[in-house]
Amino acid sequence: MAKLRTVRLAESWVPDPGDPYGEDKRRLIRFLLDNRITSANPKTLPSILADVEFTQTYRREALQHKLLGPLRRDPRVFIGTSSTGIFLVTTPEDVDATLGFYTWRVRAELRHARNLRALAKRTKLFAGYHSTVPPNKERAVIYFDESGNPDIHNRDPPVFVIAAVVVESRRDLAALDQRFKNAFAVIKRPEDHELKTSGLSVAKHGRVLRELSLLDYQWAAACFDKRHLVSTGFADPKVFYRYAFQFLISDLLTIAWQADLVIDEHSTTEFQEALELHLRRQNSGLPVNRLQSIKFSTSSKQRLIQLADLVAGAVRRSVEGDRVPLREIEHQMINLQFWPPR
């Protein structure tokens, strides 16, 4: 039987020139390969430290930060993990075990963060408090748009989607203009065109997202099935709209920790002011300077709001059975929530 490509990549792995830990990374990979360490028989960190002949001496924390972490950012190999140890990812079972472990841990940590934020909000603990942010840490910028109508009685389409595009660093936007130019070229549209899901076929939607997926961004979305929303509180579209935004923003602010929001202009100035006030009140469980600016911008002037529209449209189309656009960006997903839960 031919070797899996993941095994061949691991066998041919060589460290980058000048990497002070490169040789020990190579020795770790070789040990996991030679001993066929998989998700079925993972090794604990103490046993790795005892059994691998490293060139340097490591404690558990140094092993994680200097070897395991960098190898999980390496595009050629991945060191998987579970509740019982680590292993080299080579098979679908290894990927499944690692993703399952990460998913459970992320959910648990987010649940803890929600509980802590609820306590801080309930006790008004952050009133007047400003936390210290390291000067070298950039604020994330989160861009929002929606697909569908917040009127739950309007079932065309039957879902309402809020999507967010998260950019962690302003430097990540350096290639923005060129990527959009390439996207326009792919679908043969003029560069001053506003990209919107409603103006694209499913095939063109997928091609645009494939080109824009080369940008360094992540995304999250919340999809509400209006056919199953029976609460009388949702009968007012403005109330539902505010709820939908907060539903998505709450966890994103926990993940991004410090962020500015840019939201597609919706309705009147009064409505926008009310939405901003609502978001700040609902997120009072965070230090006030974690959520600094909330701005509203037209999608025609803001490319990343257009990208958020394309993401929201991809989620909506996936619900309708057209999964091509969503498949192009699944690898950049932070979270996709459905309400009511599926």
Side-chain angles (χ1 to χ4, degrees), residues 178-196:
Q178 186 58 52
R179 291 302 172 200
F180 267 84
K181 288 180 180 179
N182 294 347
F184 287 126
V186 164
I187 60 172
K188 298 180 173 57
R189 298 278 179 88
E191 293 177 8
D192 60 352
H193 187 75
E194 180 181 354
L195 282 175
K196 293 183 72 69

Side-chain angles (χ1 to χ4, degrees), residues 24 31 48 53 68 73 117 172 197 205 210 269 339:
D24 283 343
F31 174 85
I48 289 290
E53 295 182 359
L68 300 182
R73 295 188 292 272
R117 287 179 57 181
D172 295 337
T197 300
H205 191 181
R210 183 186 311 157
T269 301
W339 189 261

Side-chain angles (χ1 to χ4, degrees), residues 9-113:
L9 285 170
E11 289 176 338
S12 63
W13 189 92
V14 293
D16 294 330
D19 184 348
Y21 306 106
E23 174 58 22
D24 283 343
K25 292 175 185 175
R26 189 194 67 78
R27 292 188 181 202
L28 174 59
I29 293 170
R30 178 49 57 184
F31 174 85
L32 297 175
L33 276 170
D34 291 346
N35 292 276
R36 298 182 179 180
I37 305 301
T38 71
S39 57
N41 61 332
K43 294 281 284 186
T44 65
L45 295 188
S47 65
I48 289 290
L49 290 170
D51 297 341
V52 181
E53 295 182 359
F54 291 124
T55 65
Q56 303 182 45
T57 301
Y58 300 93
R59 292 183 181 274
R60 183 187 182 110
E61 184 175 330
L63 175 68
Q64 292 174 320
H65 289 292
K66 295 177 180 179
L67 302 187
L68 300 182
L71 285 174
R72 287 170 180 148
R73 295 188 292 272
D74 192 301
R76 299 165 289 178
V77 296
F78 195 93
I79 303 298
T81 188
S82 68
S83 59
T84 53
I86 68 167
F87 45 89
L88 186 67
V89 170
T90 58
T91 68
E93 291 80 7
D94 298 336
V95 176
D96 190 30
T98 302
L99 288 177
F101 175 78
Y102 283 148
T103 300
W104 173 85
R105 189 168 68 177
V106 167
R107 284 207 314 267
E109 297 296 342
L110 281 175
R111 185 164 57 249
H112 297 158

Side-chain angles (χ1 to χ4, degrees), residues 169-296:
S169 169
R170 273 65 167 180
R171 291 189 297 272
D172 295 337
L173 301 180
L176 180 65
D177 287 342
Q178 186 58 52
R179 291 302 172 200
F180 267 84
K181 288 180 180 179
N182 294 347
F184 287 126
V186 164
I187 60 172
K188 298 180 173 57
R189 298 278 179 88
E191 293 177 8
D192 60 352
H193 187 75
E194 180 181 354
L195 282 175
K196 293 183 72 69
T197 300
S198 58
L200 297 172
S201 66
V202 172
K204 287 184 177 180
H205 191 181
R207 288 198 290 271
V208 165
L209 284 175
R210 183 186 311 157
E211 183 60 42
L212 296 180
S213 71
L214 298 175
L215 289 167
D216 191 1
Y217 76 92
Q218 294 176 287
W219 65 270
C223 179
F224 300 86
D225 188 338
K226 294 187 286 186
R227 294 165 295 188
H228 301 291
L229 298 179
V230 297
S231 171
T232 56
F234 293 154
D236 184 340
K238 294 181 180 179
V239 172
F240 176 49
Y241 189 88
R242 290 196 297 265
Y243 172 84
F245 260 88
Q246 175 56 24
F247 184 91
L248 178 60
I249 287 172
S250 179
D251 283 348
L252 280 178
L253 290 179
T254 300
I255 295 169
W257 190 226
Q258 49 179 341
D260 300 314
L261 311 183
V262 182
I263 302 173
D264 184 31
E265 284 188 349
H266 185 85
S267 189
T268 64
T269 301
E270 291 74 19
F271 176 81
Q272 293 169 11
E273 291 173 349
L275 177 60
E276 177 177 355
L277 181 61
H278 175 77
L279 294 177
R280 292 196 184 279
R281 284 176 174 168
Q282 292 301 310
N283 291 288
S284 60
L286 287 173
V288 293
N289 55 326
R290 295 299 187 186
L291 173 55
Q292 191 164 350
S293 70
I294 300 177
K295 299 179 180 178
F296 295 85

Side-chain angles (χ1 to χ4, degrees), residues 116-133:
L116 180 57
R117 287 179 57 181
L119 173 64
K121 179 182 177 181
R122 189 166 58 249
T123 58
K124 300 181 180 179
L125 202 59
F126 282 132
Y129 172 82
H130 281 65
S131 63
T132 301
V133 178

